[in-house]
Amino acid sequence: DGDEKKDDDPPKITRKYANVKQTLRNGIATQDQAKNYTEFKKRLHKLCADSQNTLSAFCNTTVVELEERHGYGFALRHALYHSVDTPYVCVIQHDRTFMRPTPIKEVVSAMESREEIKYVGMSMKSNLTYYDIFSSKYSRRACAELK
C-alpha cells in the first residue's frame, strides 16, 4: 500500500510548525533546545541576583517562571498582576531592538498628564504599514476615524 509509513520516511511537518522559530513559539523544542533554554534561564537568574544593588540594567529585575507554558500574553499578564508594584512598566521583548533614541521620559510625562493614556506602543518597521493594511481592509471612511 502506497500510504503505509516506512521507518526511514521523514516526519510530516505541518505548515503551522514548518520552521524552528514557529515550533519554539508553540512550545515545541528538541532536547538540545530544552537543555540550552534551561541553561539560559539559570544564567539569567544568576545575572539578576548578582545585579541587585548595582547600576546594572538588571538591578531591579526579577525572573518570573510559570509552572507550565501559557504563551507570551498570559505570562505577561501574570507578571503584571503578581510581580509589579510600580505605576509604569516598560515591556521590551527579547527579540526587539531599539535602533534610535526612544522618548521614554516624554511618554511617561504624557501618561502622567493625560489619564486616558493607558498604553503606548513603540513603532516597529513591521507596523509602519498598518494604516495602509487597515485602509485596504476597512475602507477610507473607517480610516478617517483614526485621524
Side-chain angles (χ1 to χ4, degrees), residues 13-28:
I13 299 174
T14 65
R15 186 175 195 87
K16 184 176 180 181
Y17 303 118
N19 64 57
V20 173
K21 190 174 181 181
Q22 192 62 42
T23 57
L24 292 173
R25 281 188 187 149
N26 287 289
I28 300 170

Side-chain angles (χ1 to χ4, degrees), residues 56-113:
S56 165
F58 292 91
C59 69
N60 292 316
T61 304
T62 303
V63 178
V64 178
E65 289 189 72
L66 302 179
E67 298 273 331
E68 56 189 50
R69 185 180 180 283
H70 290 271
Y72 174 77
F74 286 110
L76 177 59
R77 181 178 188 269
H78 176 86
L80 292 173
Y81 280 104
H82 300 286
S83 302
V84 175
D85 60 2
T86 59
Y88 302 102
V89 175
C90 182
V91 177
I92 303 172
Q93 296 181 36
H94 74 282
D95 57 351
R96 299 286 182 227
T97 305
F98 287 92
M99 302 303 289
R100 292 175 287 288
T102 305
I104 298 295
K105 288 181 183 179
E106 292 82 353
V107 167
V108 172
S109 178
M111 293 178 84
E112 287 177 340
S113 66

Side-chain angles (χ1 to χ4, degrees), residues 35-50 63 65:
K35 180 181 161 196
N36 290 342
Y37 186 57
T38 299
E39 180 62 26
F40 165 77
K41 291 189 298 182
K42 180 179 160 187
R43 290 180 183 185
L44 185 60
H45 278 281
K46 181 171 177 13
L47 174 65
C48 293
D50 291 350
V63 178
E65 289 189 72

Side-chain angles (χ1 to χ4, degrees), residues 114-133:
R114 299 191 51 196
E115 197 173 286
E116 68 271 18
I117 300 175
K118 304 291 184 196
Y119 170 87
V120 176
M122 301 299 167
S123 292
M124 299 182 318
K125 192 173 188 177
S126 64
N127 64 16
L128 292 177
T129 60
Y130 279 7
Y131 180 86
D132 296 330
I133 294 168

